[in-house]
Amino acid sequence: MVQLTTHGSNPTMNGMDPALKPRLQRRSAFEYAAWAVCILLGVGLLVSVATNPNFQWDVVAKYFTNESILRGLVLTIVLTVVSMVLGTLLGLVLAIMRSSSIKPIAATAGAYITFFRGTPVLVQLIFWFNIAALYPNLSIGGTDIDVNALITPIMAAVIGLTLNEAAYMAEIIRGGFSSVAKGQIEAADSLGMSGMMKMRKVIIPQAMPSIIPATGNQVIGMFKETSLVSVLGVAELLQSAQLIYARTYETIPLLIVASLWYLVMTLLLSYPQSQLEKKYSRSSSRLPRKAKKVVLTDPEGIAR
Amino acid sequence: MTCDGTIHGRGIRKSFGAKTVLQNIDLDIASGEICCIIGPSGSGKSTLLRCVNGLETVDLGVLKVNGELFGYYETDSAFHALSRTRLAEQRTKVGIVFQQFNLFPNMTAQDNIMAGPVLVKGGDKKQAAQRAQQLLASVGLSGFGGHYPAQLSGGQQQRVAIARALAMDPQIMLFDEPTSALDPEKVGEVLAVMKDLAQKGMTMVVVTHEMGFAREVADTLLFMDEGCIVERGDAREVLANPKERRTQAFLERVL
């Protein structure tokens, strides 16, 4: 609401105390113009989408809760959860290796991260699917395993997504480690803590505030990344849609169905994500969650 | 091998890259001695202190802490670095208190104090908790065990940090400018705890700008400048009648 007041500073004019008058933001003509343009464009787009029969909204509605679409959605969720959990665990190991003072260990982790971040995940997925071409037989403890039978499309999808995600998570976790103040590590050292103890009790708990929001982002990214495994023939959300339109030729409506589901899930995930970000960006985040509120009535302990 | 709370140094040298921060340091601190180190910033005071705790390693020279070669063992031709476990063991006998407190923010005051005895020494939790209560009481903070560092004032945090270092039962306590990050109001409460500790016969090395504390509590005083010990002697004597021109100039400016 914008009120155009001409000359309101005189209390006798309308009997209002100038000290109590609200202060209004100045709005530029550009802002009004931007509103107008946006509304026009938005309405135009809506009308076009609603009236263009090629969108076939009835088909979209028909397939939105189709059983094979829902089954694809579940598989997409499972793939996301499994690759994120495994990827985060492997990423943690890589991050610890990368910050090791033992050169070959740090270099191994560095090489892994460089390789897996440096090649496209789509290529990696196809690569894992065809790994049997490189190593047809795997021999573990004397028993031979046929790699071709072992690497099913879902297996290749999980391996590919996990190994790729681990490289990114390793960098996120390492970034978290380096956000821990040097003095904290010195304090742990001066108490004689061993490397793993320091990691578990001092570094990881304090790195969490910077790791968790970034991981939330990765989950959202991973959810959409899983669509890549459709090239392996895994019947996740996108592949399920593709399977249907290959039969019915209703390409656009089914792609809309898949997109809507991706959008819905991303929106559902981005609420907790933004809450996490808010929670950890607060200055009070240095206080652990389980800390009780302390009301300091007598604020100082008395020094003798 | 005795655990006697002494520090002996001969010809200690330390550089960071091309910059020499400690040169030709000879040091003799007796058991129960309170030694204050003063000097301008960048003179190597903190580095010397950190060497005694192994946060920095010396490049050259002999450093004996608690009667043992610190961080190294000697053969005919060289000093060899000790294993991490042996080094950690030596370090637990030397407590250090930092300028920035460096309490673990993810632990309560009591857990901070218990971290050393329980996590490092593998001691009994109940006993450690009891000891932590006693230590908190001895620094005037009984009842603050459940508070997190962020809920404590600077002075309180520093007193918890002192208690944390004491929980390891060290023979030597090092203080690296313990009051420099505090409000002037809160300096007194930390110095009071340190005085108390000095009276109990703890060997203490204190890097400080608190000349009043040095005059009142210290036995000996070292004045350092540009990586060398310029002047040393009885604390009151040096503060009252500095012999070296460099010391005179410094004291004139800070007193």
Side-chain angles (χ1 to χ4, degrees), chain A:
Chain A
M1 267 291 284
V2 178
Q3 282 179 348
L4 288 175
T5 46
T6 45
H7 220 11
S9 59
N10 186 354
T12 54
M13 262 180 81
N14 50 15
M16 204 174 165
D17 183 356
L20 298 175
K21 284 180 184 170
R23 293 197 177 257
L24 302 177
Q25 287 289 321
R26 184 184 158 75
R27 304 226 165 144
S28 66
F30 183 75
E31 196 175 339
Y32 293 110
W35 273 111
V37 170
C38 278
I39 289 168
L40 274 178
L41 278 178
V43 169
L45 200 65
L46 269 179
V47 168
S48 153
V49 166
T51 56
N52 186 340
N54 293 336
F55 277 102
Q56 296 176 275
W57 290 105
D58 53 325
V59 181
V60 172
K62 186 175 119 199
Y63 282 109
F64 193 67
T65 51
N66 178 286
E67 198 193 329
S68 58
I69 291 285
L70 290 182
R71 231 183 284 133
L73 178 65
V74 170
L75 185 57
T76 289
I77 294 169
V78 169
L79 273 177
T80 306
V81 172
V82 170
S83 349
M84 268 318 290
V85 169
L86 294 179
T88 307
L89 289 177
L90 184 58
L92 178 65
V93 173
L94 283 167
I96 293 173
M97 285 171 68
R98 186 93 201 256
S99 12
S100 167
S101 59
I102 301 165
K103 283 262 163 60
I105 290 181
T108 307
Y112 178 98
I113 292 165
T114 309
F115 181 79
F116 281 92
R117 289 203 313 171
T119 53
V121 63
L122 181 56
V123 176
Q124 288 172 29
L125 284 166
I126 300 170
F127 199 90
W128 285 111
F129 188 52
N130 293 299
I131 194 73
L134 275 180
Y135 297 101
N137 282 298
L138 204 66
S139 175
I140 299 171
T143 47
D144 276 347
I145 297 164
D146 181 11
V147 173
N148 236 333
L150 182 72
I151 303 292
T152 59
I154 289 198
M155 192 72 158
V158 169
I159 293 175
L161 291 175
T162 298
L163 295 188
N164 186 258
E165 187 57 28
Y168 286 93
M169 282 308 298
E171 286 298 274
I172 288 173
I173 294 171
R174 196 173 65 109
F177 288 173
S178 56
S179 73
V180 178
K182 199 167 150 263
Q184 289 291 316
I185 292 154
E186 289 183 347
D189 278 338
S190 75
L191 290 176
M193 282 196 192
S194 68
M196 276 327 277
M197 176 84 67
K198 221 166 25 182
M199 210 27 115
R200 254 178 349 108
K201 298 286 178 181
V202 178
I203 299 177
I204 291 179
Q206 292 187 54
M208 277 311 182
S210 72
I211 293 174
I212 288 177
T215 307
N217 248 337
Q218 289 295 107
V219 173
I220 292 173
M222 174 61 92
F223 188 75
K224 289 166 290 172
E225 211 173 284
T226 53
S227 64
L228 289 175
V229 308
S230 62
V231 297
L232 306 182
V234 175
E236 42 67 73
L237 185 51
L238 179 60
Q239 177 70 2
S240 303
Q242 284 175 331
L243 284 175
I244 296 172
Y245 72 63
R247 215 173 50 232
T248 64
Y249 299 104
E250 291 157 329
T251 310
I252 294 296
L254 275 150
L255 285 179
I256 291 173
V257 168
S259 306
L260 281 176
W261 273 119
Y262 282 118
L263 200 59
V264 166
M265 291 304 295
T266 309
L267 286 175
L268 285 181
L269 283 172
S270 52
Y271 177 71
Q273 156 68 11
S274 67
Q275 290 305 104
L276 275 179
E277 240 164 49
K278 231 185 259 165
K279 177 173 152 55
Y280 283 107
S281 69
R282 250 181 269 145
S283 57
S284 65
S285 70
R286 279 177 66 80
L287 211 56
R289 192 156 35 91
K290 55 180 188 280
K292 290 188 201 78
K293 272 252 165 64
V294 174
V295 184
L296 296 175
T297 43
D298 179 18
E300 299 304 308
I302 300 110
R304 292 149 310 137

Side-chain angles (χ1 to χ4, degrees), chain B residues 135-153:
Chain B
L135 283 165
L136 276 171
S138 77
V139 296
L141 287 173
S142 10
F144 282 77
H147 288 47
Y148 282 88
Q151 296 166 325
L152 297 170
S153 74

Side-chain angles (χ1 to χ4, degrees), chain B residues 5-249:
Chain B
T6 60
I7 305 169
H8 295 286
R10 286 288 159 273
I12 291 170
R13 199 184 155 83
K14 166 81 187 167
S15 352
F16 291 121
K19 192 177 185 311
T20 305
V21 285
L22 292 178
Q23 43 191 326
N24 211 14
I25 301 277
D26 290 341
L27 199 65
D28 283 294
I29 293 169
S31 184
E33 183 174 328
I34 317 297
C35 174
C36 278
I37 307 179
I38 59 168
S41 39
S43 60
K45 312 178 296 273
S46 290
T47 309
L48 178 58
L49 201 70
R50 291 159 61 86
C51 284
V52 177
N53 185 258
L55 288 174
E56 309 284 355
T57 52
V58 301
D59 295 341
L60 211 64
V62 184
L63 175 64
K64 280 187 173 185
V65 178
N66 284 323
E68 292 178 296
L69 275 174
F70 191 84
Y72 289 81
Y73 65 91
E74 192 177 8
T75 60
D76 286 341
S77 56
F79 288 111
H80 301 268
L82 286 176
S83 71
R84 278 170 188 242
T85 23
R86 278 292 294 128
L87 176 64
E89 209 179 301
Q90 284 190 336
R91 291 171 111 175
T92 59
K93 294 173 193 159
V94 185
I96 186 163
V97 174
F98 301 93
Q99 183 178 351
Q100 297 296 339
F101 332 132
N102 294 347
L103 289 177
F104 304 129
N106 52 319
M107 303 181 194
T108 60
Q110 178 162 332
D111 287 342
N112 263 286
I113 299 171
M114 286 165 64
V118 174
L119 298 176
V120 178
K121 287 186 172 169
D124 177 51
K125 256 194 170 169
K126 265 195 191 143
Q127 255 177 338
Q130 235 170 27
R131 175 105 167 88
Q133 303 279 350
Q134 285 168 10
L135 283 165
L136 276 171
S138 77
V139 296
L141 287 173
S142 10
F144 282 77
H147 288 47
Y148 282 88
Q151 296 166 325
L152 297 170
S153 74
Q156 292 172 330
Q157 287 188 55
Q158 191 61 297
R159 284 183 279 151
V160 173
I162 293 173
R164 177 175 70 176
L166 288 174
M168 295 299 275
D169 296 315
Q171 270 74 37
I172 299 171
M173 283 285 282
L174 309 174
F175 294 84
D176 189 0
E177 304 196 19
T179 56
S180 297
L182 298 179
D183 293 342
E185 248 193 309
K186 305 281 171 16
V187 169
E189 62 191 49
V190 171
L191 292 183
V193 169
M194 288 168 66
K195 266 180 225 167
D196 198 36
L197 201 57
Q199 274 155 17
K200 286 177 185 156
M202 173 74 74
T203 307
M204 286 165 63
V205 184
V206 186
V207 170
T208 189
H209 295 297
E210 294 291 328
M211 298 303 154
F213 176 80
R215 189 178 293 115
E216 198 180 333
V217 181
D219 300 314
T220 50
L221 189 88
L222 301 178
F223 173 71
M224 286 184 72
D225 192 23
E226 291 175 350
C228 301
I229 295 175
V230 176
E231 186 162 357
R232 66 179 90 207
D234 178 79
R236 279 155 289 274
E237 179 63 27
V238 174
L239 285 171
N241 306 304
K243 292 195 178 57
E244 301 287 332
R245 289 239 331 256
R246 187 68 195 83
T247 319
Q248 288 164 3

